[in-house]
């Protein structure tokens, strides 16, 4: 059976919560979780709150981060850990299922779920469990068993546990599908959504690095309109792809200039009406043209994925 160390990995160092572009309601909810965790040593020490409501140990802070893929749940969870000064341990729920198997000896303390919580406890880490789709039905026997053990360990874990739940519908519309034990073990639910137009515009401004040379003016509002439905990760991918195109364009133009025949005085013969491209040592520059092309390509990929898959299956 896989060990906890083979399942769990450390999230890279993040940024503070206040640096993220989050709706005020989401930011406020996460700040409350941070405040509660910071107050927990006093509550459970000096003030005598030694047991949780279930009476089973010093339960910590647990929350469900609810929303569609790409809405920033994992980034926000890493920011919570940053503000608490704790390392992050991330594990995918499917890994716990595949490692758990159906054989004997994978129950209680021997189950991967318990092993992961033990490892996180030793490192005083924020435990982030992603890939949970609690609205998917029906659950298999092993999945239901792992989820039950997860809720039990959450109630006993003296730290922060964040469940990143993938869901395309609002929590209020899906709450009746959730297991009561999971809801009881969760102290808060934070609803995430894809960025709105204002947030997308801010993301476009922020994700183009200040050290990246830009030719012309960045039309963040126009890019926000073109990128409706994009997550922050998709916008970041577009910026990187567009910058790559700009660098390649500059290099190709520089090589083309080098191949031009020279005149009698040794300067390149650029011909009438042409303008020489800056030499290879000149800085490359990103333009709106590359950004818009990257957005269109990303949108075509989003829209055409199903058609592409169907065509590939036919072929």
């Amino acid at each position: 059976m896989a060990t906890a160390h083979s399942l769990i990995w450390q999230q890279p160092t993040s940024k503070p919560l206040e640096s993220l572009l989050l709706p005020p309601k989401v930011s406020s909810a996460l700040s409350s979780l941070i405040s509660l965790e910071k107050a927990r040593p006093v509550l459970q020490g000096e003030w005598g709150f030694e047991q949780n409501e279930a009476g089973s140990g010093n339960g910590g802070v647990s929350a469900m981060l609810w929303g569609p893929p790409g809405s920033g749940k994992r980034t926000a969870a890493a920011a919570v850990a940053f503000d608490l000064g704790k390392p992050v341990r991330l594990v995918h729920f499917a890994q716990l299922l595949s490692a758990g198997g159906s054989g004997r000896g994978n129950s209680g303390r021997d189950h991967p779920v318990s092993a992961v919580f033990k490892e996180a406890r030793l490192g005083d880490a924020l435990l982030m469990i992603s890939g949970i789709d609690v609205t998917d039905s029906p659950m298999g026997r092993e999945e239901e068993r792992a989820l039950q053990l997860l809720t039990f360990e959450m109630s006993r874990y003296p730290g922060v546990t964040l469940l990143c739940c993938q869901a395309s519908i609002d929590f209020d519309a899906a709450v009746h599908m959730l297991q009561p034990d999971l809801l009881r073990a969760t102290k808060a639910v934070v609803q995430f959504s894809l960025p709105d137009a204002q947030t997308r515009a801010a993301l476009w401004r922020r994700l183009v690095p200040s050290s990246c040379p830009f030719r012309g003016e960045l039309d963040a509002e126009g890019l926000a309109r073109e990128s409706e439905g994009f997550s922050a990760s998709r916008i970041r991918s577009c910026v990187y792809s567009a910058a790559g195109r700009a660098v390649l364009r500059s290099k190709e133009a520089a090589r083309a200039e080098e191949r031009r025949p020279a005149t009698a005085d040794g300067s390149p013969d650029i011909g009438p009406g042409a303008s020489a491209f800056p030499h290879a040592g000149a800085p490359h520059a990103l333009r709106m043209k590359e950004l818009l092309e990257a957005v269109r390509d990303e949108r075509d990929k989003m829209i055409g994925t199903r058609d592409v898959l169907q065509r590939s299956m036919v072929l």
Side-chain angles (χ1 to χ4, degrees), residues 33 103 108 112 240 258 264 299:
L33 292 177
Y240 191 81
E258 292 175 356
R299 182 168 296 285

Side-chain angles (χ1 to χ4, degrees), residues 242-315:
R245 297 181 191 197
V247 171
L248 291 176
R249 168 181 53 79
S250 300
K251 289 185 176 180
E252 289 172 359
R255 285 195 296 267
E257 180 185 349
E258 292 175 356
R259 291 193 296 266
R260 293 181 185 277
T263 60
D265 61 359
S267 61
D269 182 10
I270 61 176
S275 58
F277 195 86
H279 60 81
H284 313 297
L286 178 61
R287 303 176 301 180
M288 277 293 298
K289 178 181 179 181
E290 282 91 12
L291 289 172
L292 290 171
E293 287 176 351
V295 170
R296 285 193 290 268
D297 287 349
E298 185 67 23
R299 182 168 296 285
D300 289 343
K301 184 172 67 175
M302 292 171 61
I303 297 174
T305 299
R306 180 176 299 179
D307 293 337
V308 170
L309 288 174
Q310 290 177 342
R311 286 197 300 270
S312 65
M313 292 173 66
V314 171
L315 296 174

Side-chain angles (χ1 to χ4, degrees), residues 26-276:
V26 173
S27 181
S28 176
L30 295 175
S31 296
S32 296
L33 292 177
I34 294 171
S35 299
L36 181 59
E37 174 60 16
K38 288 182 176 179
R40 186 170 57 84
V42 175
L43 293 174
Q44 297 182 349
E46 300 176 21
W47 289 21
F49 290 91
E50 296 181 355
Q51 293 184 332
N52 59 16
E53 294 180 359
S56 57
N58 297 330
V61 175
S62 56
M64 189 181 297
L65 308 187
W66 184 278
S71 54
K73 300 183 295 295
R74 283 169 48 171
T75 302
V80 170
F82 182 92
D83 284 348
L84 290 172
K86 294 180 179 292
V88 180
R89 297 294 184 266
L90 171 63
V91 63
H92 198 283
F93 188 61
Q95 292 177 282
L96 300 177
L97 297 176
S98 61
S102 57
R104 299 176 182 177
N106 287 334
S107 59
R109 289 177 297 179
D110 295 327
H111 196 281
V113 171
S114 298
V116 162
F117 274 90
K118 180 180 179 181
E119 197 275 346
R121 184 191 296 256
L122 291 174
D124 189 26
L126 180 148
L127 183 56
M128 186 193 323
I129 302 177
S130 66
I132 298 180
D133 189 353
V134 292
T135 64
D136 192 18
S137 58
M139 280 188 179
R141 181 179 178 182
E142 285 302 320
E143 186 176 7
E144 185 174 355
R145 178 184 173 201
L147 197 58
Q148 289 175 349
L149 185 56
L150 175 64
T151 58
F152 172 72
E153 293 290 354
M154 281 173 56
S155 67
R156 300 171 63 246
Y157 183 58
V160 181
T161 309
L162 298 180
L163 306 181
C164 296
C165 301
Q166 298 182 17
S168 57
I169 58 176
D170 288 343
F171 176 78
D172 292 342
V175 64
H176 66 281
M177 306 179 192
L178 306 183
Q179 291 190 356
D181 289 343
L182 182 62
L183 289 175
R184 281 194 293 269
T186 304
K187 289 183 171 61
V189 177
V190 184
Q191 175 87 50
F192 285 74
S193 59
L194 293 175
D196 57 16
Q198 182 179 358
T199 305
R200 290 196 303 275
L203 283 169
W204 281 108
R205 295 188 189 95
R206 176 176 293 190
L207 293 176
V208 176
S210 58
S211 57
C212 175
F214 198 90
R215 184 175 300 171
E217 184 177 353
L218 177 68
D219 183 8
E221 284 71 22
L223 288 166
R225 289 192 297 270
E226 293 294 326
S227 58
E228 183 178 359
F230 281 28
S231 64
S233 60
R234 285 190 180 275
I235 294 176
R236 183 181 295 107
S237 177
C238 287
V239 172
Y240 191 81
S241 175
R245 297 181 191 197
V247 171
L248 291 176
R249 168 181 53 79
S250 300
K251 289 185 176 180
E252 289 172 359
R255 285 195 296 267
E257 180 185 349
E258 292 175 356
R259 291 193 296 266
R260 293 181 185 277
T263 60
D265 61 359
S267 61
D269 182 10
I270 61 176
S275 58

Side-chain angles (χ1 to χ4, degrees), residues 6-17:
S6 65
L7 294 174
I8 210 166
W9 61 279
Q10 185 168 355
Q11 181 85 351
T13 303
S14 182
K15 298 178 180 180
L17 184 64

